[in-house]
Amino acid sequence: MVLEGLGSSIYNALRRVFRAAVVDEALVKELVRDVQRALLQADVNAGLVLELSSRIEERALREKIPPGVSRREHLIKVVYEELVRFLGEKPAPLKLKSGERNVLMLVGIQGSGKTTSAAKLAYYFKKRGRRVALICADTYRPGAYAQLSQLGEQVGVPVYGEQDGVDPVKIALNGLKKFEDYDLVIIDTAGRHKEEKQLIMEMKQLAEAIKPDEVMLVVDATIGQQAATQAEAFHEATPLGSIFLAKLDGSARGGGALSAVAATGAKIKFIGTGERIEDVEHFVPTSFVGRLLGMGDLQGLIEKVREAELAMPRERVKAILSGKFTLTDMYEQLEALRGMGRFRKLLGMIPGFSYELPEEAVEVAEEKMERWRYIIQSMTLEERENPKIIKSSRIRRIARGSGTTEKDVKELIKYYFTMKKMFKRLKKGRLPASLRRKGMRMKISVA
Ligand code: GDP
Ligand code: MG
């Protein structure tokens, strides 16, 4: 959903890479061109696109590929890493100094979502035990104070404003005097003036007078490249410390956000994902890019695949491939998947699935796997090692013991034999990595 346009076109490009028989220079170049096109279509600034894509190409073609990683995986990893690197490797949370008052000033043009985001941030930090207060320093928009007061009431934090005030600097200073012993004071500002120059001037004066700990630019995720121009103008008036990306819930393409980051060097710290005050989230670059590429937490996938390969000894893999696959093996697989976290999360990590799987299917699969674990737990060692002996009376006993139905048990056994047959077919010349991928695919088809 998020940044769908951009996400799905890069995703489609990457999908082709996944399907291609060989990953060679021509394919790398083709992918880079696809990524360029996707970024340009998403309104990302052309200079930035060129920079990003040439880095991707350079790394994909020159970098030594580490052992255990295929060229394909490496290419996808590079695309992912470059986008993440650009947005900030690690989440950059808003760090509040403790035992001291923190002043946060929000800037941005009218309609970008400043007032709403001010209330969201108040909600966010109040929920985390901070004493938060709001100040309305927007004297331009009629009803601005009333709007913030109403939101403040909803959140349960005090709001300072002056009904007929004309001087935002004075109002802000009065408010700050009133909220001396608060942990966080958020100042909402005007987003329009008769002329843009005046607005920028006002922000400059405000920032100089109140000396905020941080100035945060609120950017509407639905606007395109204008975001860069806006961000630059505000950045000139008062250096921006961070970005709040609002309205990242619709069909926003988000290219604007990338451009705003590029124009100012400020990192995105929060995202707004809806109109309600609870619709605020920490910005997490890796998951943002993962979603953007339509493949969830790819970094996590790469790490986990490697861990999983280490965890399964080669002889075991060989044995499984030659048909010595027992219910004990299957149980271990189910356990391993559980250890990796929720099934949903895992599916999100498998390239190609996050876009395709309907929510209900995921739930069914999760539930089923849980049931299967209970069923196998209720079996004797002999039954697990030699499932052929599981006939009707055993099925009845196992169903009762595991609190499931006979139908469930039969389904599991049927699935087991299908899987076993499949592994046999896979026997010739397959690697553990592809085994894993196939295994996952099969589980999904169960749903
Ligand atoms: P300001 O002029 O910058 O103070 O913007 P407002 O806070 O008044 O918001 C302008 C409009 O955007 C309002 O209708 C908000 O409800 C809406 N809005 C703000 N943040 C979000 C968001 O994250 N998602 C959605 N869907 N709407 C938002
Ligand atoms: Mg406002």
Side-chain angles (χ1 to χ4, degrees):
M1 188 175 78
V2 175
L3 308 175
E4 194 145 26
L6 177 62
S8 60
S9 46
I10 295 183
Y11 163 77
N12 283 333
L14 289 176
R15 213 172 139 85
R16 228 184 310 148
V17 173
F18 253 98
R19 285 203 181 128
V22 274
V23 179
D24 54 11
E25 189 170 331
L27 190 72
V28 169
K29 290 207 158 130
E30 201 182 315
L31 172 78
V32 169
R33 266 197 307 275
D34 285 342
V35 171
Q36 273 175 350
R37 206 173 306 129
L39 290 170
L40 287 171
Q41 274 168 7
D43 268 343
V44 180
N45 173 283
L48 174 63
V49 171
L50 206 63
E51 198 187 303
L52 263 173
S53 56
S54 58
R55 271 190 67 92
I56 292 170
E57 184 170 332
E58 166 90 22
R59 282 190 57 193
L61 293 177
R62 303 261 147 75
E63 232 166 53
K64 223 177 128 212
I65 298 170
V69 177
S70 70
R71 178 135 207 189
R72 212 182 297 269
E73 279 171 328
H74 178 252
L75 177 56
I76 287 161
K77 193 165 144 276
V78 166
V79 173
Y80 172 81
E81 280 176 357
E82 283 304 317
L83 284 167
V84 169
R85 196 184 63 90
F86 173 71
L87 286 162
E89 304 283 347
K90 293 206 185 78
L94 186 63
K95 284 213 189 78
L96 296 190
K97 300 173 286 182
S98 55
E100 241 179 284
R101 184 178 67 182
N102 297 264
V103 177
L104 177 68
M105 176 172 155
L106 295 190
V107 301
I109 63 151
Q110 182 151 310
S112 57
K114 270 185 316 303
T115 306
T116 312
S117 303
K120 285 178 176 181
L121 289 169
Y123 165 84
Y124 181 92
F125 284 104
K126 188 186 176 219
K127 232 175 76 179
R128 282 158 181 77
R130 303 301 191 130
R131 289 193 77 206
V132 188
L134 291 162
I135 296 174
C136 172
D138 179 357
T139 55
Y140 194 83
R141 182 185 190 147
Y145 177 33
Q147 187 196 2
L148 192 66
S149 296
Q150 203 206 334
L151 289 167
E153 205 169 298
Q154 230 177 300
V155 181
V157 301
V159 177
Y160 183 83
E162 293 172 17
Q163 200 53 59
D164 302 307
V166 286
D167 183 354
V169 172
K170 244 192 219 150
I171 297 173
L173 290 174
N174 286 342
L176 285 173
K177 224 177 276 160
K178 194 162 172 235
F179 298 134
E180 226 137 55
D181 53 351
Y182 278 74
D183 297 320
L184 174 64
V185 179
I186 302 166
I187 302 175
D188 185 21
T189 62
R192 185 186 284 167
H193 254 267
K194 280 195 205 75
E195 278 178 62
E196 194 194 276
K197 261 205 197 102
Q198 272 174 289
L199 173 67
I200 297 300
M201 191 51 130
E202 181 172 309
M203 292 307 115
K204 198 178 164 111
Q205 285 164 350
L206 254 175
E208 276 164 10
I210 62 182
K211 300 190 181 57
D213 295 283
E214 184 155 321
V215 179
M216 187 181 272
L217 175 74
V218 179
V219 175
D220 180 337
T222 62
I223 63 165
Q225 276 207 53
Q226 308 155 38
T229 329
Q230 282 173 23
E232 261 166 5
F234 281 108
H235 192 58
E236 228 168 84
T238 164
L240 300 174
S242 55
I243 293 172
F244 188 117
L245 190 56
K247 308 188 198 178
L248 197 57
D249 47 315
S251 53
R253 307 185 71 170
L258 296 177
S259 301
V261 171
T264 61
K267 297 292 182 213
I268 304 169
K269 289 194 179 168
F270 286 96
I271 57 174
T273 55
E275 291 191 43
R276 301 168 314 155
I277 45 174
E278 307 90 68
D279 299 330
V280 54
E281 285 172 35
H282 236 138
F283 177 73
V284 182
T286 47
S287 62
F288 179 83
V289 174
R291 264 186 305 178
L292 177 90
L293 299 182
M295 43 174 59
D297 186 358
L298 189 70
Q299 184 86 49
L301 175 72
I302 291 171
E303 271 160 29
K304 271 166 189 159
V305 165
R306 232 177 265 155
E307 270 170 33
E309 278 172 1
L310 286 178
M312 199 185 261
R314 228 156 229 286
E315 308 85 74
R316 192 61 171 279
V317 174
K318 259 193 208 148
I320 288 177
L321 285 177
S322 62
K324 288 194 195 76
F325 174 68
T326 67
L327 274 169
T328 307
D329 295 313
M330 201 165 120
Y331 183 77
E332 272 171 18
Q333 272 208 351
L334 294 176
E335 277 294 295
L337 284 176
R338 226 164 69 100
M340 284 181 183
R342 304 269 296 160
F343 190 51
R344 185 193 315 277
K345 212 172 133 210
L346 187 76
L347 287 180
M349 294 193 300
I350 304 169
F353 288 110
S354 45
Y355 263 79
E356 283 166 11
L357 222 67
E359 190 80 351
E360 313 85 70
V362 176
E363 260 157 37
V364 172
E366 261 176 13
E367 219 181 275
K368 191 169 286 188
M369 286 174 69
E370 200 57 24
R371 228 178 303 142
W372 286 2
R373 284 183 53 251
Y374 291 135
I375 294 174
I376 301 176
Q377 274 169 1
S378 294
M379 293 177 180
T380 63
L381 191 64
E382 197 193 358
E383 285 164 348
R384 289 188 204 180
E385 294 299 310
N386 188 16
K388 261 192 232 139
I389 63 170
I390 307 175
K391 296 284 186 297
S392 57
S393 69
R394 287 181 192 260
I395 289 176
R396 219 172 302 136
R397 194 206 78 239
I398 293 166
R400 220 175 301 129
S402 57
T404 59
T405 65
E406 289 176 40
K407 198 171 146 246
D408 290 330
V409 179
K410 280 183 198 150
E411 188 189 26
L412 164 74
I413 292 169
K414 189 171 160 222
Y415 176 71
Y416 159 77
F417 280 113
T418 316
M419 207 159 165
K420 188 171 161 137
K421 225 188 284 165
M422 215 142 164
F423 280 135
K424 252 187 189 155
R425 252 187 265 141
L426 279 176
K427 193 179 164 186
K428 279 181 204 118
R430 291 284 183 154
L431 296 165
S434 60
L435 166 73
R436 283 202 61 77
R437 216 165 283 138
K438 290 276 193 249
M440 283 167 180
R441 254 176 232 278
M442 280 196 293
K443 287 216 174 59
I444 287 147
S445 67
V446 171

